[in-house]
Amino acid sequence: MQFADRFKGRVAVITGGASGIGFAVAERILGEGGAAAIWDVDAKAGSDAAAKLGRNALAVAVDVSDETSVNQAVAQTVKAFGHIDVLVTSAAITGPNATTWDYPPEKWRQVIDINVNGVYYCCRAIVPYMQAQKYGRIVNIASIAGKEGNPNAPAYSTSKAAVIGLTKSLGKELAKTRITANCVTPAAVKTPIFDQMTQAHIDFMLSKIPMGRFGLVDEVASLVTWLASEECSFSTGAVFDVSGGRATY
Ligand code: NAD
């Protein structure tokens, strides 16, 4: 379902917007009257996505784990659209599936650099623009793995727990402003991110979902776009479940 003009006049930055959940969020925001900057490290996928999304979409090649690259992407986006009202941080990687003691340190650092530092750099760079205009909506995509800790995904689980912590801090810091910061914690949703995981891990994630199925990108996008809309005005620093019944808190 789409809401007419819910994002009219609003500009959204969507990291990882070329694929999966980020792309579904971009589709909804554009379909509801907004504009979107598709920030993705995969420049080709980003420009293909923007072309598919139409004239109010802009592809920006950015590596969120690189602070300079993020700052350049902000400048490019503001130059194109004039302002940024919504930030959705969807860019992430899973890293390999291995126990904590077998986990390669360089892979650990890469997961933390993209999934945690990337979210921090984006929030750090964009919040001042939101403060200046006295309005903003930040939605960080965490994961149920951050609440529960999935075995054989220690870096990913750690990174998503960190995103939850960052969102809680940020939400409170901004609570007296018209800027909200929330996060969502999906269970497994079939997207290209599955290509990074072993089948055994995918089977494990499915076995943990009481509804007995994977989530759909549109089910996540529906929650994210509500959190990204003006209507979400009394929730901040909060964690929103979309896990087919897996979450117990
Ligand atoms: P996806 O792989 O389909 O999309 C991720 C996008 O992020 C890709 O387009 C990729 O190119 C981009 N990206 C990766 N590294 C980047 C970087 N350094 N800089 C900029 N862009 C980068 O994945 P998805 O399933 O859509 O996942 C989106 C978000 O949802 C992620 O944060 C993921 O952790 C989270 N999540 C996914 C699931 C799931 O099962 N799909 C479950 C819970 C949480």
Side-chain angles (χ1 to χ4, degrees), residues 16 19-21 40-41 62-64 90-92 114 141-143 156 160 186-189 191-194:
S19 178
I21 292 168
D40 210 285
V41 74
V62 56
D63 177 356
V64 296
S90 194
I114 296 173
I141 314 295
S143 167
Y156 184 76
K160 293 303 184 175
V189 177
T191 71
I193 211 170
F194 273 33

mmCIF file with all atom_site columns, all heavy atoms in Angstrom, residues 16 19-21 40-41 62-64 90-92 114 141-143 156 160 186-189 191-194, ligand 1:
data_model
loop_
_atom_site.group_PDB
_atom_site.id
_atom_site.type_symbol
_atom_site.label_atom_id
_atom_site.label_alt_id
_atom_site.label_comp_id
_atom_site.label_asym_id
_atom_site.label_entity_id
_atom_site.label_seq_id
_atom_site.pdbx_PDB_ins_code
_atom_site.Cartn_x
_atom_site.Cartn_y
_atom_site.Cartn_z
_atom_site.occupancy
_atom_site.B_iso_or_equiv
_atom_site.pdbx_formal_charge
_atom_site.auth_seq_id
_atom_site.auth_comp_id
_atom_site.auth_asym_id
_atom_site.auth_atom_id
_atom_site.pdbx_PDB_model_num
ATOM   1   N N   . GLY A 1 16  ? 23.157 1.996   0.816  1.00 0.00 ? 16  GLY A N   1
ATOM   2   C CA  . GLY A 1 16  ? 22.842 0.637   0.364  1.00 0.00 ? 16  GLY A CA  1
ATOM   3   C C   . GLY A 1 16  ? 21.550 0.595   -0.434 1.00 0.00 ? 16  GLY A C   1
ATOM   4   O O   . GLY A 1 16  ? 20.903 -0.440  -0.563 1.00 0.00 ? 16  GLY A O   1
ATOM   5   N N   . SER A 1 19  ? 20.105 -1.985  -3.548 1.00 0.00 ? 19  SER A N   1
ATOM   6   C CA  . SER A 1 19  ? 19.717 -3.400  -3.454 1.00 0.00 ? 19  SER A CA  1
ATOM   7   C C   . SER A 1 19  ? 18.786 -3.639  -2.265 1.00 0.00 ? 19  SER A C   1
ATOM   8   O O   . SER A 1 19  ? 18.735 -2.842  -1.316 1.00 0.00 ? 19  SER A O   1
ATOM   9   C CB  . SER A 1 19  ? 20.996 -4.239  -3.293 1.00 0.00 ? 19  SER A CB  1
ATOM   10  O OG  . SER A 1 19  ? 20.700 -5.608  -3.145 1.00 0.00 ? 19  SER A OG  1
ATOM   11  N N   . GLY A 1 20  ? 18.077 -4.747  -2.325 1.00 0.00 ? 20  GLY A N   1
ATOM   12  C CA  . GLY A 1 20  ? 17.354 -5.294  -1.186 1.00 0.00 ? 20  GLY A CA  1
ATOM   13  C C   . GLY A 1 20  ? 16.443 -4.321  -0.452 1.00 0.00 ? 20  GLY A C   1
ATOM   14  O O   . GLY A 1 20  ? 15.595 -3.645  -1.059 1.00 0.00 ? 20  GLY A O   1
ATOM   15  N N   . ILE A 1 21  ? 16.620 -4.247  0.843  1.00 0.00 ? 21  ILE A N   1
ATOM   16  C CA  . ILE A 1 21  ? 15.747 -3.437  1.701  1.00 0.00 ? 21  ILE A CA  1
ATOM   17  C C   . ILE A 1 21  ? 15.867 -1.949  1.353  1.00 0.00 ? 21  ILE A C   1
ATOM   18  O O   . ILE A 1 21  ? 14.863 -1.237  1.260  1.00 0.00 ? 21  ILE A O   1
ATOM   19  C CB  . ILE A 1 21  ? 16.086 -3.698  3.190  1.00 0.00 ? 21  ILE A CB  1
ATOM   20  C CG1 . ILE A 1 21  ? 15.691 -5.145  3.560  1.00 0.00 ? 21  ILE A CG1 1
ATOM   21  C CG2 . ILE A 1 21  ? 15.406 -2.684  4.096  1.00 0.00 ? 21  ILE A CG2 1
ATOM   22  C CD1 . ILE A 1 21  ? 16.225 -5.637  4.896  1.00 0.00 ? 21  ILE A CD1 1
ATOM   23  N N   . ASP A 1 40  ? 25.565 4.159   -2.665 1.00 0.00 ? 40  ASP A N   1
ATOM   24  C CA  . ASP A 1 40  ? 26.006 2.760   -2.676 1.00 0.00 ? 40  ASP A CA  1
ATOM   25  C C   . ASP A 1 40  ? 27.455 2.666   -3.139 1.00 0.00 ? 40  ASP A C   1
ATOM   26  O O   . ASP A 1 40  ? 27.904 3.448   -3.981 1.00 0.00 ? 40  ASP A O   1
ATOM   27  C CB  . ASP A 1 40  ? 25.106 1.917   -3.593 1.00 0.00 ? 40  ASP A CB  1
ATOM   28  C CG  . ASP A 1 40  ? 25.017 0.465   -3.118 1.00 0.00 ? 40  ASP A CG  1
ATOM   29  O OD1 . ASP A 1 40  ? 26.014 -0.285  -3.314 1.00 0.00 ? 40  ASP A OD1 1
ATOM   30  O OD2 . ASP A 1 40  ? 23.982 0.088   -2.535 1.00 0.00 ? 40  ASP A OD2 1
ATOM   31  N N   . VAL A 1 41  ? 28.171 1.695   -2.612 1.00 0.00 ? 41  VAL A N   1
ATOM   32  C CA  . VAL A 1 41  ? 29.565 1.479   -2.998 1.00 0.00 ? 41  VAL A CA  1
ATOM   33  C C   . VAL A 1 41  ? 29.646 0.852   -4.391 1.00 0.00 ? 41  VAL A C   1
ATOM   34  O O   . VAL A 1 41  ? 30.661 0.998   -5.076 1.00 0.00 ? 41  VAL A O   1
ATOM   35  C CB  . VAL A 1 41  ? 30.287 0.601   -1.938 1.00 0.00 ? 41  VAL A CB  1
ATOM   36  C CG1 . VAL A 1 41  ? 29.861 -0.856  -2.023 1.00 0.00 ? 41  VAL A CG1 1
ATOM   37  C CG2 . VAL A 1 41  ? 31.793 0.741   -2.017 1.00 0.00 ? 41  VAL A CG2 1
ATOM   38  N N   . VAL A 1 62  ? 29.495 5.934   -3.041 1.00 0.00 ? 62  VAL A N   1
ATOM   39  C CA  . VAL A 1 62  ? 30.092 6.249   -1.737 1.00 0.00 ? 62  VAL A CA  1
ATOM   40  C C   . VAL A 1 62  ? 30.445 4.961   -1.005 1.00 0.00 ? 62  VAL A C   1
ATOM   41  O O   . VAL A 1 62  ? 29.711 3.979   -1.079 1.00 0.00 ? 62  VAL A O   1
ATOM   42  C CB  . VAL A 1 62  ? 29.112 7.111   -0.883 1.00 0.00 ? 62  VAL A CB  1
ATOM   43  C CG1 . VAL A 1 62  ? 27.765 6.439   -0.720 1.00 0.00 ? 62  VAL A CG1 1
ATOM   44  C CG2 . VAL A 1 62  ? 29.676 7.419   0.492  1.00 0.00 ? 62  VAL A CG2 1
ATOM   45  N N   . ASP A 1 63  ? 31.569 5.011   -0.310 1.00 0.00 ? 63  ASP A N   1
ATOM   46  C CA  . ASP A 1 63  ? 31.906 3.921   0.601  1.00 0.00 ? 63  ASP A CA  1
ATOM   47  C C   . ASP A 1 63  ? 31.637 4.452   2.006  1.00 0.00 ? 63  ASP A C   1
ATOM   48  O O   . ASP A 1 63  ? 32.367 5.330   2.493  1.00 0.00 ? 63  ASP A O   1
ATOM   49  C CB  . ASP A 1 63  ? 33.383 3.532   0.433  1.00 0.00 ? 63  ASP A CB  1
ATOM   50  C CG  . ASP A 1 63  ? 33.805 2.455   1.421  1.00 0.00 ? 63  ASP A CG  1
ATOM   51  O OD1 . ASP A 1 63  ? 33.000 2.065   2.283  1.00 0.00 ? 63  ASP A OD1 1
ATOM   52  O OD2 . ASP A 1 63  ? 34.966 2.008   1.321  1.00 0.00 ? 63  ASP A OD2 1
ATOM   53  N N   . VAL A 1 64  ? 30.609 3.935   2.658  1.00 0.00 ? 64  VAL A N   1
ATOM   54  C CA  . VAL A 1 64  ? 30.228 4.506   3.964  1.00 0.00 ? 64  VAL A CA  1
ATOM   55  C C   . VAL A 1 64  ? 31.293 4.293   5.045  1.00 0.00 ? 64  VAL A C   1
ATOM   56  O O   . VAL A 1 64  ? 31.269 4.972   6.073  1.00 0.00 ? 64  VAL A O   1
ATOM   57  C CB  . VAL A 1 64  ? 28.851 3.984   4.462  1.00 0.00 ? 64  VAL A CB  1
ATOM   58  C CG1 . VAL A 1 64  ? 27.722 4.409   3.547  1.00 0.00 ? 64  VAL A CG1 1
ATOM   59  C CG2 . VAL A 1 64  ? 28.869 2.483   4.692  1.00 0.00 ? 64  VAL A CG2 1
ATOM   60  N N   . SER A 1 90  ? 21.064 1.585   5.328  1.00 0.00 ? 90  SER A N   1
ATOM   61  C CA  . SER A 1 90  ? 20.818 0.171   5.013  1.00 0.00 ? 90  SER A CA  1
ATOM   62  C C   . SER A 1 90  ? 22.093 -0.547  4.568  1.00 0.00 ? 90  SER A C   1
ATOM   63  O O   . SER A 1 90  ? 22.127 -1.775  4.528  1.00 0.00 ? 90  SER A O   1
ATOM   64  C CB  . SER A 1 90  ? 19.741 0.079   3.923  1.00 0.00 ? 90  SER A CB  1
ATOM   65  O OG  . SER A 1 90  ? 19.237 -1.222  3.801  1.00 0.00 ? 90  SER A OG  1
ATOM   66  N N   . ALA A 1 91  ? 23.140 0.200   4.211  1.00 0.00 ? 91  ALA A N   1
ATOM   67  C CA  . ALA A 1 91  ? 24.379 -0.428  3.724  1.00 0.00 ? 91  ALA A CA  1
ATOM   68  C C   . ALA A 1 91  ? 24.999 -1.283  4.824  1.00 0.00 ? 91  ALA A C   1
ATOM   69  O O   . ALA A 1 91  ? 25.188 -0.823  5.951  1.00 0.00 ? 91  ALA A O   1
ATOM   70  C CB  . ALA A 1 91  ? 25.376 0.635   3.286  1.00 0.00 ? 91  ALA A CB  1
ATOM   71  N N   . ALA A 1 92  ? 25.307 -2.513  4.498  1.00 0.00 ? 92  ALA A N   1
ATOM   72  C CA  . ALA A 1 92  ? 25.980 -3.405  5.448  1.00 0.00 ? 92  ALA A CA  1
ATOM   73  C C   . ALA A 1 92  ? 26.447 -4.648  4.721  1.00 0.00 ? 92  ALA A C   1
ATOM   74  O O   . ALA A 1 92  ? 25.986 -4.945  3.619  1.00 0.00 ? 92  ALA A O   1
ATOM   75  C CB  . ALA A 1 92  ? 25.036 -3.795  6.592  1.00 0.00 ? 92  ALA A CB  1
ATOM   76  N N   . ILE A 1 114 ? 32.197 -0.988  8.102  1.00 0.00 ? 114 ILE A N   1
ATOM   77  C CA  . ILE A 1 114 ? 31.031 -0.676  7.254  1.00 0.00 ? 114 ILE A CA  1
ATOM   78  C C   . ILE A 1 114 ? 29.760 -0.554  8.103  1.00 0.00 ? 114 ILE A C   1
ATOM   79  O O   . ILE A 1 114 ? 29.035 0.444   8.022  1.00 0.00 ? 114 ILE A O   1
ATOM   80  C CB  . ILE A 1 114 ? 30.849 -1.751  6.150  1.00 0.00 ? 114 ILE A CB  1
ATOM   81  C CG1 . ILE A 1 114 ? 32.053 -1.728  5.197  1.00 0.00 ? 114 ILE A CG1 1
ATOM   82  C CG2 . ILE A 1 114 ? 29.538 -1.543  5.376  1.00 0.00 ? 114 ILE A CG2 1
ATOM   83  C CD1 . ILE A 1 114 ? 32.085 -2.859  4.167  1.00 0.00 ? 114 ILE A CD1 1
ATOM   84  N N   . ILE A 1 141 ? 19.133 0.566   9.972  1.00 0.00 ? 141 ILE A N   1
ATOM   85  C CA  . ILE A 1 141 ? 18.717 -0.829  9.828  1.00 0.00 ? 141 ILE A CA  1
ATOM   86  C C   . ILE A 1 141 ? 19.683 -1.695  10.650 1.00 0.00 ? 141 ILE A C   1
ATOM   87  O O   . ILE A 1 141 ? 20.837 -1.905  10.254 1.00 0.00 ? 141 ILE A O   1
ATOM   88  C CB  . ILE A 1 141 ? 18.710 -1.295  8.353  1.00 0.00 ? 141 ILE A CB  1
ATOM   89  C CG1 . ILE A 1 141 ? 18.026 -0.253  7.440  1.00 0.00 ? 141 ILE A CG1 1
ATOM   90  C CG2 . ILE A 1 141 ? 18.026 -2.668  8.240  1.00 0.00 ? 141 ILE A CG2 1
ATOM   91  C CD1 . ILE A 1 141 ? 16.559 -0.027  7.671  1.00 0.00 ? 141 ILE A CD1 1
ATOM   92  N N   . ALA A 1 142 ? 19.206 -2.150  11.786 1.00 0.00 ? 142 ALA A N   1
ATOM   93  C CA  . ALA A 1 142 ? 19.996 -3.069  12.629 1.00 0.00 ? 142 ALA A CA  1
ATOM   94  C C   . ALA A 1 142 ? 19.594 -4.492  12.257 1.00 0.00 ? 142 ALA A C   1
ATOM   95  O O   . ALA A 1 142 ? 19.387 -4.784  11.078 1.00 0.00 ? 142 ALA A O   1
ATOM   96  C CB  . ALA A 1 142 ? 19.753 -2.749  14.104 1.00 0.00 ? 142 ALA A CB  1
ATOM   97  N N   . SER A 1 143 ? 19.450 -5.377  13.215 1.00 0.00 ? 143 SER A N   1
ATOM   98  C CA  . SER A 1 143 ? 19.059 -6.766  12.923 1.00 0.00 ? 143 SER A CA  1
ATOM   99  C C   . SER A 1 143 ? 18.711 -7.464  14.229 1.00 0.00 ? 143 SER A C   1
ATOM   100 O O   . SER A 1 143 ? 19.245 -7.119  15.293 1.00 0.00 ? 143 SER A O   1
ATOM   101 C CB  . SER A 1 143 ? 20.219 -7.512  12.252 1.00 0.00 ? 143 SER A CB  1
ATOM   102 O OG  . SER A 1 143 ? 19.961 -8.907  12.234 1.00 0.00 ? 143 SER A OG  1
ATOM   103 N N   . TYR A 1 156 ? 28.984 -9.624  12.725 1.00 0.00 ? 156 TYR A N   1
ATOM   104 C CA  . TYR A 1 156 ? 27.699 -9.051  12.296 1.00 0.00 ? 156 TYR A CA  1
ATOM   105 C C   . TYR A 1 156 ? 26.806 -8.781  13.515 1.00 0.00 ? 156 TYR A C   1
ATOM   106 O O   . TYR A 1 156 ? 26.242 -7.691  13.638 1.00 0.00 ? 156 TYR A O   1
ATOM   107 C CB  . TYR A 1 156 ? 27.014 -10.024 11.323 1.00 0.00 ? 156 TYR A CB  1
ATOM   108 C CG  . TYR A 1 156 ? 25.732 -9.491  10.736 1.00 0.00 ? 156 TYR A CG  1
ATOM   109 C CD1 . TYR A 1 156 ? 25.750 -8.536  9.722  1.00 0.00 ? 156 TYR A CD1 1
ATOM   110 C CD2 . TYR A 1 156 ? 24.495 -9.936  11.188 1.00 0.00 ? 156 TYR A CD2 1
ATOM   111 C CE1 . TYR A 1 156 ? 24.568 -8.038  9.172  1.00 0.00 ? 156 TYR A CE1 1
ATOM   112 C CE2 . TYR A 1 156 ? 23.316 -9.445  10.650 1.00 0.00 ? 156 TYR A CE2 1
ATOM   113 C CZ  . TYR A 1 156 ? 23.355 -8.506  9.645  1.00 0.00 ? 156 TYR A CZ  1
ATOM   114 O OH  . TYR A 1 156 ? 22.182 -8.010  9.106  1.00 0.00 ? 156 TYR A OH  1
ATOM   115 N N   . LYS A 1 160 ? 25.518 -5.075  14.763 1.00 0.00 ? 160 LYS A N   1
ATOM   116 C CA  . LYS A 1 160 ? 24.112 -4.670  14.813 1.00 0.00 ? 160 LYS A CA  1
ATOM   117 C C   . LYS A 1 160 ? 23.703 -4.279  16.240 1.00 0.00 ? 160 LYS A C   1
ATOM   118 O O   . LYS A 1 160 ? 22.853 -3.402  16.424 1.00 0.00 ? 160 LYS A O   1
ATOM   119 C CB  . LYS A 1 160 ? 23.228 -5.781  14.237 1.00 0.00 ? 160 LYS A CB  1
ATOM   120 C CG  . LYS A 1 160 ? 23.446 -5.999  12.732 1.00 0.00 ? 160 LYS A CG  1
ATOM   121 C CD  . LYS A 1 160 ? 23.211 -4.715  11.924 1.00 0.00 ? 160 LYS A CD  1
ATOM   122 C CE  . LYS A 1 160 ? 23.323 -4.913  10.433 1.00 0.00 ? 160 LYS A CE  1
ATOM   123 N NZ  . LYS A 1 160 ? 22.988 -3.690  9.673  1.00 0.00 ? 160 LYS A NZ  1
ATOM   124 N N   . PRO A 1 186 ? 15.162 -6.440  11.672 1.00 0.00 ? 186 PRO A N   1
ATOM   125 C CA  . PRO A 1 186 ? 14.528 -7.526  10.921 1.00 0.00 ? 186 PRO A CA  1
ATOM   126 C C   . PRO A 1 186 ? 15.168 -8.876  11.220 1.00 0.00 ? 186 PRO A C   1
ATOM   127 O O   . PRO A 1 186 ? 16.357 -8.973  11.521 1.00 0.00 ? 186 PRO A O   1
ATOM   128 C CB  . PRO A 1 186 ? 14.803 -7.156  9.448  1.00 0.00 ? 186 PRO A CB  1
ATOM   129 C CG  . PRO A 1 186 ? 15.375 -5.769  9.453  1.00 0.00 ? 186 PRO A CG  1
ATOM   130 C CD  . PRO A 1 186 ? 15.955 -5.547  10.813 1.00 0.00 ? 186 PRO A CD  1
ATOM   131 N N   . ALA A 1 187 ? 14.345 -9.916  11.096 1.00 0.00 ? 187 ALA A N   1
ATOM   132 C CA  . ALA A 1 187 ? 14.879 -11.279 10.965 1.00 0.00 ? 187 ALA A CA  1
ATOM   133 C C   . ALA A 1 187 ? 15.189 -11.462 9.488  1.00 0.00 ? 187 ALA A C   1
ATOM   134 O O   . ALA A 1 187 ? 15.120 -10.508 8.697  1.00 0.00 ? 187 ALA A O   1
ATOM   135 C CB  . ALA A 1 187 ? 13.867 -12.292 11.471 1.00 0.00 ? 187 ALA A CB  1
ATOM   136 N N   . ALA A 1 188 ? 15.511 -12.680 9.086  1.00 0.00 ? 188 ALA A N   1
ATOM   137 C CA  . ALA A 1 188 ? 16.002 -12.912 7.719  1.00 0.00 ? 188 ALA A CA  1
ATOM   138 C C   . ALA A 1 188 ? 14.987 -12.533 6.644  1.00 0.00 ? 188 ALA A C   1
ATOM   139 O O   . ALA A 1 188 ? 13.811 -12.896 6.709  1.00 0.00 ? 188 ALA A O   1
ATOM   140 C CB  . ALA A 1 188 ? 16.381 -14.379 7.570  1.00 0.00 ? 188 ALA A CB  1
ATOM   141 N N   . VAL A 1 189 ? 15.480 -11.790 5.670  1.00 0.00 ? 189 VAL A N   1
ATOM   142 C CA  . VAL A 1 189 ? 14.698 -11.340 4.515  1.00 0.00 ? 189 VAL A CA  1
ATOM   143 C C   . VAL A 1 189 ? 15.509 -11.723 3.286  1.00 0.00 ? 189 VAL A C   1
ATOM   144 O O   . VAL A 1 189 ? 16.694 -11.362 3.205  1.00 0.00 ? 189 VAL A O   1
ATOM   145 C CB  . VAL A 1 189 ? 14.538 -9.793  4.549  1.00 0.00 ? 189 VAL A CB  1
ATOM   146 C CG1 . VAL A 1 189 ? 13.801 -9.292  3.324  1.00 0.00 ? 189 VAL A CG1 1
ATOM   147 C CG2 . VAL A 1 189 ? 13.841 -9.350  5.828  1.00 0.00 ? 189 VAL A CG2 1
ATOM   148 N N   . THR A 1 191 ? 17.344 -11.461 0.276  1.00 0.00 ? 191 THR A N   1
ATOM   149 C CA  . THR A 1 191 ? 17.876 -10.422 -0.615 1.00 0.00 ? 191 THR A CA  1
ATOM   150 C C   . THR A 1 191 ? 19.259 -10.912 -1.077 1.00 0.00 ? 191 THR A C   1
ATOM   151 O O   . THR A 1 191 ? 19.743 -11.943 -0.589 1.00 0.00 ? 191 THR A O   1
ATOM   152 C CB  . THR A 1 191 ? 18.072 -9.079  0.141  1.00 0.00 ? 191 THR A CB  1
ATOM   153 O OG1 . THR A 1 191 ? 19.188 -9.235  1.035  1.00 0.00 ? 191 THR A OG1 1
ATOM   154 C CG2 . THR A 1 191 ? 16.841 -8.645  0.909  1.00 0.00 ? 191 THR A CG2 1
ATOM   155 N N   . PRO A 1 192 ? 19.935 -10.139 -1.931 1.00 0.00 ? 192 PRO A N   1
ATOM   156 C CA  . PRO A 1 192 ? 21.288 -10.563 -2.344 1.00 0.00 ? 192 PRO A CA  1
ATOM   157 C C   . PRO A 1 192 ? 22.268 -10.732 -1.189 1.00 0.00 ? 192 PRO A C   1
ATOM   158 O O   . PRO A 1 192 ? 23.311 -11.365 -1.359 1.00 0.00 ? 192 PRO A O   1
ATOM   159 C CB  . PRO A 1 192 ? 21.712 -9.436  -3.293 1.00 0.00 ? 192 PRO A CB  1
ATOM   160 C CG  . PRO A 1 192 ? 20.421 -8.938  -3.870 1.00 0.00 ? 192 PRO A CG  1
ATOM   161 C CD  . PRO A 1 192 ? 19.432 -9.013  -2.735 1.00 0.00 ? 192 PRO A CD  1
ATOM   162 N N   . ILE A 1 193 ? 21.946 -10.202 -0.007 1.00 0.00 ? 193 ILE A N   1
ATOM   163 C CA  . ILE A 1 193 ? 22.860 -10.375 1.141  1.00 0.00 ? 193 ILE A CA  1
ATOM   164 C C   . ILE A 1 193 ? 23.000 -11.863 1.501  1.00 0.00 ? 193 ILE A C   1
ATOM   165 O O   . ILE A 1 193 ? 24.006 -12.271 2.085  1.00 0.00 ? 193 ILE A O   1
ATOM   166 C CB  . ILE A 1 193 ? 22.391 -9.537  2.370  1.00 0.00 ? 193 ILE A CB  1
ATOM   167 C CG1 . ILE A 1 193 ? 23.601 -9.077  3.208  1.00 0.00 ? 193 ILE A CG1 1
ATOM   168 C CG2 . ILE A 1 193 ? 21.408 -10.294 3.248  1.00 0.00 ? 193 ILE A CG2 1
ATOM   169 C CD1 . ILE A 1 193 ? 23.283 -8.061  4.297  1.00 0.00 ? 193 ILE A CD1 1
ATOM   170 N N   . PHE A 1 194 ? 22.016 -12.689 1.117  1.00 0.00 ? 194 PHE A N   1
ATOM   171 C CA  . PHE A 1 194 ? 22.085 -14.135 1.399  1.00 0.00 ? 194 PHE A CA  1
ATOM   172 C C   . PHE A 1 194 ? 23.305 -14.769 0.716  1.00 0.00 ? 194 PHE A C   1
ATOM   173 O O   . PHE A 1 194 ? 23.812 -15.783 1.180  1.00 0.00 ? 194 PHE A O   1
ATOM   174 C CB  . PHE A 1 194 ? 20.807 -14.847 0.914  1.00 0.00 ? 194 PHE A CB  1
ATOM   175 C CG  . PHE A 1 194 ? 19.678 -14.853 1.914  1.00 0.00 ? 194 PHE A CG  1
ATOM   176 C CD1 . PHE A 1 194 ? 19.488 -13.807 2.798  1.00 0.00 ? 194 PHE A CD1 1
ATOM   177 C CD2 . PHE A 1 194 ? 18.783 -15.918 1.959  1.00 0.00 ? 194 PHE A CD2 1
ATOM   178 C CE1 . PHE A 1 194 ? 18.436 -13.799 3.706  1.00 0.00 ? 194 PHE A CE1 1
ATOM   179 C CE2 . PHE A 1 194 ? 17.732 -15.938 2.871  1.00 0.00 ? 194 PHE A CE2 1
ATOM   180 C CZ  . PHE A 1 194 ? 17.555 -14.873 3.738  1.00 0.00 ? 194 PHE A CZ  1
HETATM 181 P P1  . NAD B 2 .   ? 21.871 -6.148  0.225  1.00 0.00 ? 1   NAD B P1  1
HETATM 182 O O1  . NAD B 2 .   ? 23.173 -6.846  0.159  1.00 0.00 ? 1   NAD B O1  1
HETATM 183 O O2  . NAD B 2 .   ? 20.794 -6.544  -0.729 1.00 0.00 ? 1   NAD B O2  1
HETATM 184 O O3  . NAD B 2 .   ? 22.083 -4.562  0.120  1.00 0.00 ? 1   NAD B O3  1
HETATM 185 C C1  . NAD B 2 .   ? 23.132 -3.927  0.788  1.00 0.00 ? 1   NAD B C1  1
HETATM 186 C C2  . NAD B 2 .   ? 23.656 -2.800  -0.084 1.00 0.00 ? 1   NAD B C2  1
HETATM 187 O O4  . NAD B 2 .   ? 24.679 -2.133  0.648  1.00 0.00 ? 1   NAD B O4  1
HETATM 188 C C3  . NAD B 2 .   ? 24.281 -3.285  -1.407 1.00 0.00 ? 1   NAD B C3  1
HETATM 189 O O5  . NAD B 2 .   ? 23.735 -2.573  -2.502 1.00 0.00 ? 1   NAD B O5  1
HETATM 190 C C4  . NAD B 2 .   ? 25.759 -2.985  -1.235 1.00 0.00 ? 1   NAD B C4  1
HETATM 191 O O6  . NAD B 2 .   ? 26.428 -2.654  -2.439 1.00 0.00 ? 1   NAD B O6  1
HETATM 192 C C5  . NAD B 2 .   ? 25.727 -1.808  -0.265 1.00 0.00 ? 1   NAD B C5  1
HETATM 193 N N1  . NAD B 2 .   ? 26.975 -1.640  0.469  1.00 0.00 ? 1   NAD B N1  1
HETATM 194 C C6  . NAD B 2 .   ? 27.765 -2.609  1.008  1.00 0.00 ? 1   NAD B C6  1
HETATM 195 N N2  . NAD B 2 .   ? 28.862 -2.069  1.537  1.00 0.00 ? 1   NAD B N2  1
HETATM 196 C C7  . NAD B 2 .   ? 28.781 -0.731  1.334  1.00 0.00 ? 1   NAD B C7  1
HETATM 197 C C8  . NAD B 2 .   ? 29.641 0.351   1.641  1.00 0.00 ? 1   NAD B C8  1
HETATM 198 N N3  . NAD B 2 .   ? 30.815 0.168   2.250  1.00 0.00 ? 1   NAD B N3  1
HETATM 199 N N4  . NAD B 2 .   ? 29.237 1.602   1.317  1.00 0.00 ? 1   NAD B N4  1
HETATM 200 C C9  . NAD B 2 .   ? 28.054 1.790   0.682  1.00 0.00 ? 1   NAD B C9  1
HETATM 201 N N5  . NAD B 2 .   ? 27.214 0.796   0.333  1.00 0.00 ? 1   NAD B N5  1
HETATM 202 C C10 . NAD B 2 .   ? 27.584 -0.448  0.671  1.00 0.00 ? 1   NAD B C10 1
HETATM 203 O O7  . NAD B 2 .   ? 21.370 -6.343  1.728  1.00 0.00 ? 1   NAD B O7  1
HETATM 204 P P2  . NAD B 2 .   ? 19.913 -6.182  2.403  1.00 0.00 ? 1   NAD B P2  1
HETATM 205 O O8  . NAD B 2 .   ? 19.443 -7.526  2.741  1.00 0.00 ? 1   NAD B O8  1
HETATM 206 O O9  . NAD B 2 .   ? 19.056 -5.253  1.642  1.00 0.00 ? 1   NAD B O9  1
HETATM 207 O O10 . NAD B 2 .   ? 20.346 -5.505  3.767  1.00 0.00 ? 1   NAD B O10 1
HETATM 208 C C11 . NAD B 2 .   ? 20.060 -4.170  4.055  1.00 0.00 ? 1   NAD B C11 1
HETATM 209 C C12 . NAD B 2 .   ? 20.213 -3.930  5.537  1.00 0.00 ? 1   NAD B C12 1
HETATM 210 O O11 . NAD B 2 .   ? 19.309 -4.763  6.260  1.00 0.00 ? 1   NAD B O11 1
HETATM 211 C C13 . NAD B 2 .   ? 21.604 -4.260  6.081  1.00 0.00 ? 1   NAD B C13 1
HETATM 212 O O12 . NAD B 2 .   ? 21.929 -3.308  7.076  1.00 0.00 ? 1   NAD B O12 1
HETATM 213 C C14 . NAD B 2 .   ? 21.419 -5.628  6.698  1.00 0.00 ? 1   NAD B C14 1
HETATM 214 O O13 . NAD B 2 .   ? 22.379 -5.897  7.693  1.00 0.00 ? 1   NAD B O13 1
HETATM 215 C C15 . NAD B 2 .   ? 20.026 -5.466  7.249  1.00 0.00 ? 1   NAD B C15 1
HETATM 216 N N6  . NAD B 2 .   ? 19.341 -6.724  7.511  1.00 0.00 ? 1   NAD B N6  1
HETATM 217 C C16 . NAD B 2 .   ? 19.123 -7.590  6.486  1.00 0.00 ? 1   NAD B C16 1
HETATM 218 C C17 . NAD B 2 .   ? 18.486 -8.787  6.748  1.00 0.00 ? 1   NAD B C17 1
HETATM 219 C C18 . NAD B 2 .   ? 18.260 -9.795  5.663  1.00 0.00 ? 1   NAD B C18 1
HETATM 220 O O14 . NAD B 2 .   ? 18.026 -10.952 5.995  1.00 0.00 ? 1   NAD B O14 1
HETATM 221 N N7  . NAD B 2 .   ? 18.273 -9.404  4.399  1.00 0.00 ? 1   NAD B N7  1
HETATM 222 C C19 . NAD B 2 .   ? 18.068 -9.077  8.060  1.00 0.00 ? 1   NAD B C19 1
HETATM 223 C C20 . NAD B 2 .   ? 18.309 -8.166  9.073  1.00 0.00 ? 1   NAD B C20 1
HETATM 224 C C21 . NAD B 2 .   ? 18.945 -6.987  8.785  1.00 0.00 ? 1   NAD B C21 1
#
